[in-house]
């Protein structure tokens, strides 16, 4: 399989690694939203969060906390976004699970607005039930 993040995570392609352990490599995004934008890559291939094991998902988000703290100190940023996209519709462009850690500065040019969906409290409650029933 020709997966760029597999090659980077396994060290087959050079990258700006800031952290590495048995399970993960953390690199700098090649096209950062802000300077200090990091990507957490598992070393085993999973296209998205559905394919990643619970154990690695847990470890990945624990690592995101550690990286967020380091990014905050290194950049002295005002905030940090932790993002993880699944599927093209959700903005995923590289189909190997990764977590973005993005430092945010007052007045920066990063656009992450959600907009808002027109709905009502009954629909929200009904959807809550559907989600519960799928856990
Ligand atoms: P996503 O849209 O969530 O799939 O994010 C993919 C991210 O990977 C983007 O922010 C890209 O800039 C970044 N990216 C793509 N190729 C590379 C690469 N070779 N090295 C580092 N980052 C990359
Ligand atoms: Zn991969």
């Amino acid at each position: 399989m020709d997966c760029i993040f597999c090659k980077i995570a396994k060290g087959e392609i050079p990258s700006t690694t800031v952290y590495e352990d048995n399970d993960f490599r953390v690199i700098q995004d090649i096209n950062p939203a802000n300077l200090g934008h990091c990507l957490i890559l598992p070393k085993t291939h999973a296209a998205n969060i559905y394919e990643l094991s619970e154990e690695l998902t847990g470890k990945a988000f624990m690592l995101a906390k550690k990286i967020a703290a380091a990014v905050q100190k290194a950049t002295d940023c005002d905030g940090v976004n932790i993002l993880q996209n699944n599927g093209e519709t959700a903005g995923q462009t590289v189909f190997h699970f990764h977590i973005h850690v993005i430092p945010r500065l007052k007045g920066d040019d990063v656009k992450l607005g959600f907009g808002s969906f027109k709905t009502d409290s009954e629909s929200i409650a009904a959807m809550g039930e559907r989600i519960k029933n799928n856990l």
Side-chain angles (χ1 to χ4, degrees):
M1 192 184 37
D2 202 30
C3 172
I4 178 109
F5 280 5
C6 274
K7 290 179 185 154
I8 292 173
K10 288 176 187 155
E12 292 165 17
I13 293 178
S15 63
T16 49
T17 298
V18 301
Y19 173 88
E20 185 183 3
D21 63 23
N22 286 337
D23 297 318
F24 299 97
R25 182 184 296 273
V26 182
I27 64 169
Q28 297 278 283
D29 196 295
I30 204 169
N31 185 23
N34 267 330
L35 207 57
H37 180 167
C38 291
L39 299 174
I40 297 172
L41 314 179
K43 290 186 174 178
T44 52
H45 183 82
N48 50 45
I49 199 164
Y50 314 115
E51 287 187 8
L52 193 66
S53 70
E54 280 200 8
E55 189 194 352
L56 282 177
T57 304
K59 285 183 176 175
F61 280 96
M62 280 205 292
L63 184 53
K65 173 178 169 65
K66 184 185 177 88
I67 298 300
V71 164
Q72 198 288 318
K73 286 188 192 135
T75 64
D76 196 26
C77 59
D78 305 304
V80 173
N81 287 116
I82 295 175
L83 286 181
Q84 197 277 308
N85 300 326
N86 298 283
E88 208 175 335
T89 306
Q92 187 175 10
T93 58
V94 179
F95 295 89
H96 175 124
F97 175 98
H98 52 280
I99 299 176
H100 296 261
V101 179
I102 304 173
R104 299 299 306 275
L105 300 147
K106 280 192 188 91
D108 69 19
D109 202 27
V110 181
K111 307 267 186 302
L112 295 172
F114 291 148
S116 72
F117 181 75
K118 266 206 181 352
T119 187
D120 52 59
S121 54
E122 287 78 20
S123 304
I124 292 170
M127 182 51 75
E129 288 304 313
R130 281 181 66 175
I131 294 168
K132 274 192 224 168
N133 293 335
N134 279 282
L135 284 171

